[in-house]
Amino acid sequence: MSDTLTDNYGIAEALEALGIKDTNPGLSTGNQWMQGSGPEYTSTSPVDGQAIGKVGSATEADYQKVIATAQQAFVDWRQWPAPKRGEVVRQFGEALRKYKAPLGKLVSYEMGKSYQEGLGEVQEMIDICDFAVGLSRQLHGLTMHSERPSHRMYEQYHPLGIVGIISAFNFPVAVWCWNTALAWVCGDVCVWKPSEKTPLCGVACQKIAAEVFAANDVPEGVCCLVQGDYVIGELLSNDGRIPLVSATGSTRMGKAVGAAVGARLGRALLELGGNNAIIVSDRADIDMTVRGALFGAVGTAGQRCTTTRRLIIHESVYDEVKEKLSKAYTQLSIGNPLDENNHVGPLIDKMAVEQYENALKSAVEEGGKVVVEGGVLEGDGYESGCYVKPAIVEAENHFQIVQQETFAPILYLLKYKTFGEAVAMQNGVAQGLSSALMTRDLQEAEAFLSNAGSDCGIANVNIGTSGAEIGGAFGGEKETGGGRESGSDAWKVYMRRQTNTINYGSELPLAQGIKFDL
């Protein structure tokens, strides 16, 4: 690391603080670390193309050992009072505060998002821990009136068991924590397969959690890590001992997970692709619109599931929006994401770059008109080959490439005449994650949020499609998978519901007035 550009940004110190080595074990059940019998993965930074470290991976036999430990841990962990489990999560949140800077730096360097976004991702982890701590004292059910005399009826929630977590590279730590913080206070144990593109983020999080869990005598196996490729994901999906699999990634991957989990009648919590749009009304604040669309389209180099991919603009303000947005694009600084003067970092790898280039080519072939040229950047600072220029293309909503999600900074401009037409265009894709409307018209705002408006899981007014807070449930409809994570009552998916009826009388009346006398 000492000879690399990124050393100027404290990467070596961050890795040391997090306990990241040249070679790292890829399996853990808490304090017990195992190298694994599978091949080693080399994590390479898209920032400068440098190898950060190696991580061991699991075979099926390794996986079976981890699951057996998790099963045993659940027997003990579910008996801990929920507030006591919440205290452990509180301490984990405090540990994340301690490690926020180095972990945020690792996220930035291994994934490629800006350092500020890396810090923001760790802050999401801290926020969900705070949320979960309060939740640990209110995992409430309901009391209902029984139709039978001298009977009391109520419902309560119990832990599910093992929660399998499959996470994506673009949010390599936060989404894992969305799941674990809630699952832990609910009494579940977790087995995590991080993305093989960001394995060191998984090692770092496991080390931080293990430190806290050891200090609290948490059973070995409550927090497990299993590094590997799609084979580990298949094992998790097909394992009948795992009642819930939470998977974040592409729609293609989610369909495979959903089919496997559904075939064994398990639960799948799916957070999949997004093809998000902002509708720009003729009554919009144009300057606010440009700021919101700019971050939504180029933040994390277009690699957020909530990235703004379509801008649906009223014909009367179309040229003004296009001109101002194009000018804003010329002011973007692209480069090392650890340099806070840069706005846009690299794509995750060269495969992503190829998909970006193919999408731009397809858009033009279908009749799109390039407004802001894209392209791959070369030269000093771009040696990794993963840096591209954010592009803007005028297009039509029906274009095949517009209907797809390209995980890259490509923004399509679309024109509309009537508000109803705009909503139909917004909804006229297979995905249904995030959406937004820019307007100062109350009627338009309310119509957009009505049951005849946006069909997405997230619908915003006068803010962009990105930047969800943990207090609200996060997720989407249609090919986005229908799952909900993070806030609101998302905790219920990590528990099983049980209805209880107690007869405290001396008779045994049947429901619905049924008579069964001998």
Side-chain angles (χ1 to χ4, degrees):
M1 290 297 300
S2 59
D3 295 329
T4 66
L5 169 66
T6 46
D7 224 9
N8 297 329
Y9 299 97
I11 286 297
E13 292 84 355
L15 296 175
E16 183 178 1
L18 295 167
I20 302 299
K21 309 294 184 181
D22 291 337
T23 300
N24 303 271
L27 290 85
S28 173
T29 54
N31 281 313
Q32 299 297 317
W33 288 82
M34 297 156 277
Q35 186 63 29
S37 307
E40 285 186 334
Y41 290 101
T42 298
S43 177
T44 301
S45 172
V47 174
D48 55 13
Q50 297 295 314
I52 311 172
K54 295 182 178 180
V55 180
S57 68
T59 61
E60 183 173 355
D62 299 323
Y63 166 86
Q64 297 297 345
K65 293 176 184 177
V66 171
I67 295 298
T69 305
Q71 280 186 297
Q72 184 58 48
F74 175 62
V75 174
D76 295 332
W77 182 241
R78 66 185 177 184
Q79 297 295 332
W80 285 40
K84 186 178 179 182
R85 298 192 296 255
E87 170 58 18
V88 175
V89 173
R90 185 195 68 78
Q91 292 179 34
F92 179 57
E94 290 302 311
L96 289 171
R97 288 177 169 89
K98 173 184 173 183
Y99 289 105
K100 181 177 179 179
L103 184 55
K105 200 158 285 188
L106 175 60
V107 169
S108 176
Y109 188 54
E110 189 173 36
M111 185 266 149
K113 64 176 60 176
S114 74
Y115 179 45
Q116 282 301 311
E117 289 183 89
L119 292 175
E121 187 168 343
V122 182
Q123 187 60 50
E124 281 193 63
M125 301 173 76
I126 294 168
D127 291 345
I128 196 64
C129 285
D130 288 350
F131 180 89
V133 172
L135 185 66
S136 69
R137 292 183 179 272
Q138 54 174 9
L139 298 171
H140 51 77
L142 297 172
T143 298
M144 290 79 72
H145 288 282
S146 174
E147 66 183 62
R148 290 169 283 184
S150 301
H151 281 60
R152 182 165 70 89
M153 186 164 63
Y154 66 98
E155 66 180 21
Q156 59 181 326
Y157 287 83
H158 296 298
L160 273 178
I162 301 175
V163 174
I165 302 168
I166 303 171
S167 63
F169 73 85
N170 60 329
F171 279 83
V173 297
V175 173
W176 166 74
C177 202
W178 283 4
N179 284 274
T180 54
L182 297 189
W184 287 335
V185 298
C186 289
D188 299 321
V189 302
C190 298
V191 177
W192 179 26
K193 189 203 93 63
S195 169
E196 54 266 43
K197 297 182 180 183
T198 51
L200 293 174
C201 285
V203 173
C205 289
Q206 182 73 8
K207 285 179 177 287
I208 296 170
E211 181 181 308
V212 173
F213 281 27
N216 288 274
D217 295 321
V218 172
E220 191 76 20
V222 171
C223 178
C224 298
L225 174 73
V226 183
Q227 301 273 11
D229 58 14
Y230 71 94
V231 173
I232 301 301
E234 289 179 346
L235 289 171
L236 287 167
S237 301
N238 288 287
D239 196 331
R241 296 166 296 181
I242 302 177
L244 172 66
V245 176
S246 175
T248 303
S250 67
T251 297
R252 178 189 58 79
M253 180 274 287
K255 287 181 177 179
V257 172
V261 176
R264 59 178 175 84
L265 300 182
R267 298 188 196 178
L269 196 171
L270 302 175
E271 297 290 355
L272 310 176
N275 193 349
N276 317 293
I278 298 177
I279 297 174
V280 184
S281 166
D282 57 338
R283 298 172 179 85
D285 181 319
I286 301 301
D287 290 336
M288 180 187 291
T289 296
V290 170
R291 290 197 301 273
L294 184 65
F295 176 74
V298 308
T300 323
Q303 296 172 112
R304 290 180 174 226
C305 50
T306 54
T307 290
T308 303
R309 308 202 181 278
R310 297 174 297 144
L311 207 58
I312 303 170
I313 312 167
H314 190 272
E315 59 182 4
S316 67
V317 294
Y318 183 88
D319 290 337
E320 181 183 2
V321 172
K322 180 174 72 171
E323 180 182 351
K324 288 188 174 182
L325 191 59
S326 299
K327 183 177 180 180
Y329 266 55
T330 65
Q331 299 172 31
L332 291 172
S333 180
I334 306 168
N336 190 315
L338 293 158
D339 182 341
E340 297 190 42
N341 293 312
N342 291 326
H343 304 101
V344 182
L347 295 178
I348 185 65
D349 54 26
K350 290 183 180 179
M351 183 183 297
V353 173
E354 183 179 348
Q355 292 172 345
Y356 158 86
E357 292 182 297
N358 289 340
L360 283 176
K361 180 181 177 181
S362 296
V364 172
E365 289 176 348
E366 289 193 70
K369 179 182 177 182
V370 176
V371 175
V372 174
E373 290 280 352
V376 181
L377 295 169
E378 300 176 344
D380 291 344
Y382 305 127
E383 290 84 359
S384 70
C386 296
Y387 291 87
V388 302
K389 292 187 287 186
I392 299 178
V393 180
E394 291 181 295
E396 298 291 339
N397 204 52
H398 66 265
F399 286 1
Q400 185 177 357
I401 192 62
V402 176
Q403 291 285 312
Q404 300 171 3
E405 178 191 42
T406 302
F407 235 48
I410 303 173
L411 179 65
Y412 299 108
L413 302 187
L414 314 171
K415 189 182 295 185
Y416 79 90
K417 293 183 178 180
T418 68
F419 184 72
E421 178 189 3
V423 172
M425 291 168 67
Q426 139 67 41
N427 294 342
V429 293
Q431 309 83 1
L433 179 54
S434 188
S435 59
L437 167 68
M438 294 293 187
T439 186
R440 288 171 290 192
D441 185 291
L442 179 61
Q443 288 182 318
E444 284 186 337
E446 290 295 333
F448 182 69
L449 301 178
S450 74
N451 58 19
S454 170
D455 65 359
C456 294
I458 299 168
N460 300 325
V461 174
N462 291 330
I463 59 174
T465 58
S466 290
E469 299 179 31
I470 63 94
F474 180 88
E477 302 301 322
K478 301 188 293 187
E479 287 194 358
T480 301
R484 292 297 185 276
E485 294 173 316
S486 191
S488 185
D489 65 348
W491 61 272
K492 291 180 179 180
V493 76
Y494 302 93
M495 306 196 82
R496 59 181 177 87
R497 186 188 305 214
Q498 184 181 80
T499 300
N500 306 119
T501 307
I502 299 173
N503 179 0
Y504 58 88
S506 57
E507 300 294 331
L508 189 63
L510 300 177
Q512 292 85 47
I514 294 173
K515 301 295 183 181
F516 193 76
D517 297 326
L518 294 177

